[in-house]
């Protein structure tokens, strides 16, 4: 168990810079999930922490000690790989014991540690088997066991659930969470799956093109995304973005698609009138015909999900909008009156950054202003 | 009755289909027969010479010298084989076949083991380490593939003879050990070992030699077995190099021995030549049969 600190990590492969200065402080026992689209540099960052890749600049501190120049084996870490990377010719027992043997632990202690870990993971009966005789989930568990048995300061997970089928993934996700709680080992977990990120992490690092766009708890990231990238990346289906223009000295936002909507307070830091208005599909309200301030949405496609439906439509401004509604499944081609509640609007400036409201409190009902 | 497809009755259609099926059956049977005939001919082409040698080795010298080609076993099997094994051919070299077999066996074994040892290490270096001149080293190995032993045989002979290694095992074996083919095969296999496995070993704390011993070698066993079979047979069948490098009976190999036994047409102990040939066939065949399981596995399977 230890803290982890990254200071200004940069990495270039030749002329291509893939990490542009990442800073991160991880508390003891914290579960950090690094999430981002493929190619955002998240795996490179993890490999730099592991020591499999050297940072071009910056330093890595584990438990306060600078390990930037140390070999992976001297960093006291354990890593779980996406394809498990089990030694195919070794039994489950040997796979788990290999690192301990190299470390020169006494035979009895190795035996004890491996057995205890195997019991904990439900692998007790499989210790004699070879990896090829195991199912995907069992292999995954052995890979976890190999990491746990080492009792490292830091767990590193590189998309460990990507090779499992959907059902097993959900099951293993919960198991990883439970294990990490129980062992209390500081963990860094890389994934491209936002559901995994939201459910597992104490805090998320949302990465985009080699930058950490936001570092915050899952709910904070969801509720107050720092910019349009984070807003669009976290949440499924993705947040809708509409063109808007601040009016009435910032007390309302005039949508290109329809009426102006009064805001609870003007944005604190708006420098220009043009803004991007974001709203999550589940926050769009379907209203009755002729309701005040309703915007007609021309329904294009309806995807029923069972309890809910996803309604894809087109606003009068030509912008697309997705609605997630629970008791409404209109026919394609019809028009659906909708309302965008002011308390659920996210405003982003021209540079994509979130505009915080000066005194965001209370919810203002959508009011027709002017027009 | 009207003609044309419209008037075709169901019965007629069935009859036609049946006729077509019969015809198809017949042609399939004819094809089967042809296939078998070709296969049998092929087997005969391969097996007949071996059969003749095998039968010839059981007759006395007079029968073969008369120009007969015996296709049935004769009564002299035991005598011929004991003579060949223990005494060799009286009129030629007088080296017993057992001694030549031992020489051949030692040579083939050391060539196979040596080639595997050298090439697995060089492939390991080329695949898993980055060092200056790595690709140069690889291409240098690769290019030697284009130079068969025969091309470089005189310079090699000069070197070996200057080092005083004529008529020694060292001189016989060492020049044949460096192998581009085996290095390439191991390289291709090593490239299929996932990077994550290397990284997992690094995190587990295994250094390069440990990784080689604990992971690379165990994973390569089937490949090594397959190569061993190929290289053993290659070593056993070496002709030109042993011919140059051995001038006395001490290190003479069986292949050279057979050639020396065949003197002039008149005074060749054909019955002994035949027996020796059969004996010379046995070790490679034994190796292939014994290692067949791993051999096939190594060629077919990629275990991961």
């Amino acid at each position: 168990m230890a803290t982890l600190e990254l200071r200004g990590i940069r990495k270039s492969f030749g002329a291509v810079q893939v990490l542009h200065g990442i800073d991160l402080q991880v508390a003891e026992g914290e579960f950090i999930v690094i999430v981002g689209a493929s190619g955002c540099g998240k795996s490179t960052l993890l490999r730099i922490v592991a020591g499999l890749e050297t940072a071009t600049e910056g330093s890595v501190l584990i438990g306060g000690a600078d390990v930037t120049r140390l070999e992976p084996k001297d960093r006291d870490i354990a890593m779980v790989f996406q394809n498990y990377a089990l030694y195919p010719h070794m039994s489950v027992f040997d796979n788990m014991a290999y690192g301990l043997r190299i470390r020169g632990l006494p035979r009895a202690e190795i035996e004890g540690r491996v057995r205890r870990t195997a019991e904990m993971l439900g692998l007790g009966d499989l210790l004699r088997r070879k990896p090829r005789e195991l199912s995907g989930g069992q292999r995954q568990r052995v890979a976890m066991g190999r990491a746990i048995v080492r009792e490292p300061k830091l767990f590193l997970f590189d998309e460990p659930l990507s090779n499992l089928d959907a059902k097993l993934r959900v099951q293993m996700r919960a198991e990883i969470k439970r294990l990490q709680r129980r062992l209390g080992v500081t963990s860094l977990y890389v994934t491209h799956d936002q559901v995994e990120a939201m459910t597992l992490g104490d805090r998320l690092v949302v990465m985009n093109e080699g930058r950490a766009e936001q570092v915050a708890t899952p709910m904070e990231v969801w509720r107050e995304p720092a910019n349009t990238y984070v807003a669009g990346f976290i949440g499924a289906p993705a947040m809708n973005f509409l063109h808007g223009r601040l009016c009435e000295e910032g007390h309302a936002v005039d949508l290109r698609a329809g009426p102006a909507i009064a805001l609870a307070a003007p944005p604190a830091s708006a420098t220009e009138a043009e803004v991007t208005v974001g709203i999550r599909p589940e926050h769009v309200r379907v209203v009755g015909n002729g309701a005040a301030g309703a915007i007609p949405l021309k329904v294009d496609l309806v995807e029923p999900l069972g309890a809910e439906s996803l309604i894809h439509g087109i606003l009068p401004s030509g912008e697309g909008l997705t609605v997630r509604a629970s008791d409404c499944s209109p026919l394609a081609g019809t028009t659906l009156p909708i309302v965008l509640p002011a308390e659920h609007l996210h405003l982003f400036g021209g540079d994509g950054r979130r505009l915080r409201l000066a005194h965001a409190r209370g919810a203002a009902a959508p009011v027709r202003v002017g027009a | 009755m009207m003609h044309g497809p419209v008037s075709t009755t169901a019965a007629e259609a069935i009859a036609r289909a049946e006729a077509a099926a019969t015809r198809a059956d017949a042609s399939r049977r004819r094809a089967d027969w042809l296939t078998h005939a070709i296969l049998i001919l092929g087997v005969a082409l391969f097996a007949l010479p071996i059969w003749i040698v095998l039968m010839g080795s059981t007759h006395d010298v007079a029968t073969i010298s008369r120009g007969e080609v015996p296709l049935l076993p004769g009564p002299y099997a035991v005598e011929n084989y004991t003579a060949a094994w223990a005494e060799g051919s009286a009129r030629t070299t007088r080296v017993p076949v057992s001694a030549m077999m031992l020489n051949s066996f030692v040579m083939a074994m050391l060539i196979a083991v040596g080639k595997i040892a050298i090439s697995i290490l060089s492939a390991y270096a080329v695949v898993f380490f980055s060092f200056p001149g790595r690709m140069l080293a690889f291409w240098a190995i690769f290019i030697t593939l284009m130079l068969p032993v025969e091309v470089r045989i005189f310079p090699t002979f000069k070197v070996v003879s200057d080092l005083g290694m004529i008529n020694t095992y060292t001189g016989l074996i060492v020049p044949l050990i460096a192998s581009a083919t085996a290095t390439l095969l191991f390289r291709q296999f090593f490239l299929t070992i996932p990077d994550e496995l290397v990284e997992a070993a690094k995190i587990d704390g295994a250094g390069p030699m440990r990784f080689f011993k604990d992971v690379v070698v165990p994973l390569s066993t089937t490949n090594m077995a397959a190569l061993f079979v190929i290289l053993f047979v290659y070593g056993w069948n070496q002709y030109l190099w042993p011919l140059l490098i051995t001038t006395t009976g001490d290190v003479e190999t069986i292949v050279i021995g057979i050639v020396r036994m065949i003197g002039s047409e008149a005074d060749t102990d054909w019955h002994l030549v035949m027996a020796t040939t059969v004996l010379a066939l046995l070790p490679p065949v034994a190796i292939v049969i014994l290692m067949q399981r791993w051999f096939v596995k190594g060629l077919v399977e990629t275990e991961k």
Side-chain angles (χ1 to χ4, degrees):
Chain A
M1 236 187 290
T3 59
L4 168 71
E5 193 179 341
L6 305 181
R7 286 187 194 154
I9 300 284
R10 287 170 196 279
K11 175 72 182 172
S12 310
F13 291 108
V16 188
Q17 191 165 4
V18 293
L19 292 177
H20 304 266
I22 305 277
D23 293 285
L24 182 66
Q25 296 213 332
V26 183
E28 230 174 80
E30 202 177 8
F31 199 130
I32 295 284
V33 176
I34 305 173
V35 63
S38 51
C40 70
K42 57 190 192 298
S43 283
T44 308
L45 183 62
L46 191 77
R47 292 163 55 82
I48 286 173
V49 176
L52 298 170
E53 206 86 67
T54 41
T56 316
E57 235 178 85
S59 45
V60 180
L61 288 85
I62 297 177
D66 191 337
V67 299
T68 321
R69 302 267 151 245
L70 292 186
E71 288 289 310
K73 66 183 165 72
D74 301 321
R75 295 189 176 198
D76 203 0
I77 48 157
M79 187 155 167
V80 179
F81 294 88
Q82 179 175 355
N83 62 5
Y84 321 135
L86 301 176
Y87 307 115
H89 58 292
M90 293 187 195
S91 67
V92 169
F93 184 95
D94 291 335
N95 260 290
M96 287 167 71
Y98 188 57
L100 303 181
R101 283 194 188 130
I102 291 179
R103 247 145 258 252
L105 260 63
R107 187 176 288 267
E109 172 157 13
I110 295 178
E111 176 97 19
R113 274 211 214 175
V114 172
R115 294 218 177 273
R116 239 178 298 133
T117 311
E119 282 315 318
M120 181 164 75
L121 290 165
L123 294 169
D125 302 329
L126 305 175
L127 285 173
R128 300 257 148 269
R129 299 242 192 121
K130 294 274 173 66
R132 66 164 171 276
E133 299 160 339
L134 301 176
S135 68
Q138 287 166 336
R139 281 182 215 185
Q140 166 64 48
R141 244 173 262 222
V142 176
M144 297 269 301
R146 186 168 65 177
I148 292 169
V149 84
R150 294 260 307 277
E151 298 176 8
K153 284 186 187 151
L154 194 61
F155 277 145
L156 303 174
F157 298 90
D158 190 3
E159 310 219 9
L161 303 181
S162 302
N163 285 6
L164 299 178
D165 62 53
K167 195 176 160 196
L168 209 51
R169 202 179 305 164
V170 174
Q171 199 182 321
M172 285 306 293
R173 194 170 74 201
E175 209 160 312
I176 288 179
K177 179 100 183 169
R178 227 172 280 134
L179 270 172
Q180 198 269 343
R181 283 271 158 76
R182 184 165 149 196
L183 301 168
V185 178
T186 316
S187 303
L188 217 52
Y189 186 110
V190 161
T191 182
H192 64 269
D193 182 323
Q194 49 149 318
V195 181
E196 252 170 54
M198 294 290 285
T199 50
L200 283 173
D202 293 328
R203 278 194 298 154
L204 305 187
V205 178
V206 184
M207 282 187 63
N208 181 31
E209 292 176 352
R211 288 190 178 78
E213 301 281 5
Q214 189 169 13
V215 183
T217 64
M219 280 322 284
E220 210 178 316
V221 169
W222 189 79
R223 248 191 242 123
E224 290 179 14
N227 55 35
T228 44
Y229 178 81
V230 177
F233 189 78
I234 298 291
M239 185 185 277
N240 298 295
F241 293 111
L242 305 172
H243 286 284
R245 172 177 263 285
L246 290 175
C247 56
E248 317 232 325
E249 282 150 359
H251 282 85
V253 56
D254 190 8
L255 293 177
R256 188 186 285 175
I261 298 169
L263 299 169
S269 56
T271 50
E272 49 198 323
E274 291 294 332
V275 291
T276 302
V277 179
I279 183 155
R280 296 196 181 278
E282 54 269 41
H283 289 151
V284 178
R285 245 186 10 233
V286 178
V287 293
N289 274 321
I295 309 170
L297 178 74
K298 194 160 187 305
V299 179
D300 177 38
L301 177 73
V302 180
E303 296 177 299
L305 301 176
E308 297 166 317
S309 305
L310 289 185
I311 303 159
H312 303 275
I314 296 168
L315 293 169
S317 57
E319 293 162 308
L321 185 87
T322 304
V323 182
R324 188 158 141 186
S326 56
D327 47 3
C328 167
S329 52
L331 294 173
T334 57
T335 303
L336 196 68
I338 53 150
V339 153
L340 311 179
E343 70 270 27
H344 289 307
L345 294 187
H346 303 262
L347 298 185
F348 303 97
D351 56 355
R353 278 174 201 273
R354 180 181 192 83
L355 300 176
R356 289 182 190 283
L357 300 189
H359 308 283
R361 92 191 130 71
V367 197
R368 219 171 218 289
V369 187
Chain B
M1 185 165 178
M2 277 164 59
H3 290 283
V6 183
S7 69
T8 309
T9 63
E12 228 171 67
I14 289 169
R16 213 173 290 159
E18 270 172 0
T22 324
R23 244 175 291 133
D25 269 1
S27 74
R28 204 174 303 133
R29 230 171 289 136
R30 215 173 309 131
D32 276 1
W33 188 86
L34 191 67
T35 314
H36 277 92
I38 291 171
L39 286 174
I40 289 166
L41 189 69
V43 169
L45 273 177
F46 279 110
L48 195 64
I50 295 171
W51 179 254
I52 290 173
V53 169
L54 197 61
M55 291 306 109
S57 68
T58 61
H59 289 269
D60 63 350
V61 68
T63 316
I64 307 169
S65 298
R66 276 201 304 276
E68 285 178 28
V69 180
L71 286 176
L72 291 171
Y76 296 101
V78 180
E79 288 94 321
N80 288 352
Y81 281 98
T82 357
W85 180 260
E87 294 159 27
S89 172
R91 288 182 218 171
T92 49
T93 56
R94 261 292 169 200
V95 180
V97 170
S98 53
M100 296 192 290
M101 294 262 285
L102 184 69
N103 285 340
S104 272
F105 187 77
V106 170
M107 177 178 81
M109 205 68 173
L110 289 181
I111 286 177
V113 171
K115 265 179 185 283
I116 289 174
I118 292 244
S119 53
I120 198 172
L121 283 171
S122 42
Y124 184 61
V126 168
V127 174
F128 290 104
F129 298 88
S130 55
F131 51 88
R134 175 166 86 137
M135 284 326 278
L136 186 75
F138 172 69
W139 282 105
I141 294 169
F142 188 76
I143 281 169
T144 59
L145 259 184
M146 298 173 202
L147 300 175
V149 178
E150 290 74 15
V151 172
R152 52 186 163 90
I153 206 149
F154 285 108
T156 316
F157 182 81
K158 171 85 172 119
V159 170
V160 170
S161 87
D162 284 357
L163 289 173
M165 296 197 295
I166 303 284
N167 281 325
T168 61
Y169 277 135
T170 328
L172 191 58
I173 292 160
V174 171
L176 291 175
I177 278 183
S179 176
T181 325
T183 309
L184 278 180
L185 280 173
F186 278 122
R187 174 179 178 265
Q188 291 316 109
F189 170 66
F190 289 167
L191 287 178
T192 67
I193 293 179
D195 290 344
E196 283 88 346
L197 210 57
V198 184
E199 290 169 353
K202 267 188 206 164
I203 289 176
D204 268 343
M209 285 334 275
R210 189 106 202 207
F211 180 67
F212 181 71
K213 178 173 80 75
D214 288 348
V215 180
V216 172
V217 170
L219 285 179
S220 310
T221 44
T222 51
N223 290 55
M224 283 159 83
L227 265 177
F228 179 81
V229 173
I230 294 169
L231 294 177
F232 183 89
V233 174
Y234 162 87
W236 185 269
N237 289 339
Q238 278 303 312
Y239 174 66
L240 186 56
W241 181 249
L243 187 67
L244 286 177
I245 213 78
T246 63
T247 53
T248 66
D250 295 347
V251 290
E252 201 163 83
T253 66
I254 186 104
V255 179
I256 302 300
I258 293 173
V259 177
R260 294 214 170 136
M261 277 183 185
I262 306 173
S264 65
E265 188 63 35
D267 56 356
T268 301
D269 292 329
W270 279 112
H271 60 304
L272 295 184
V273 172
M274 300 279 186
T276 309
T277 309
V278 173
L279 288 174
L281 275 174
L282 293 179
V285 169
I287 292 281
V288 170
I289 290 175
L290 281 177
M291 305 204 62
Q292 186 195 30
R293 200 158 62 88
W294 295 285
F295 178 69
V296 174
K297 231 179 160 186
L299 290 183
V300 174
E301 188 180 290
T302 45
E303 188 183 325
K304 251 164 273 117

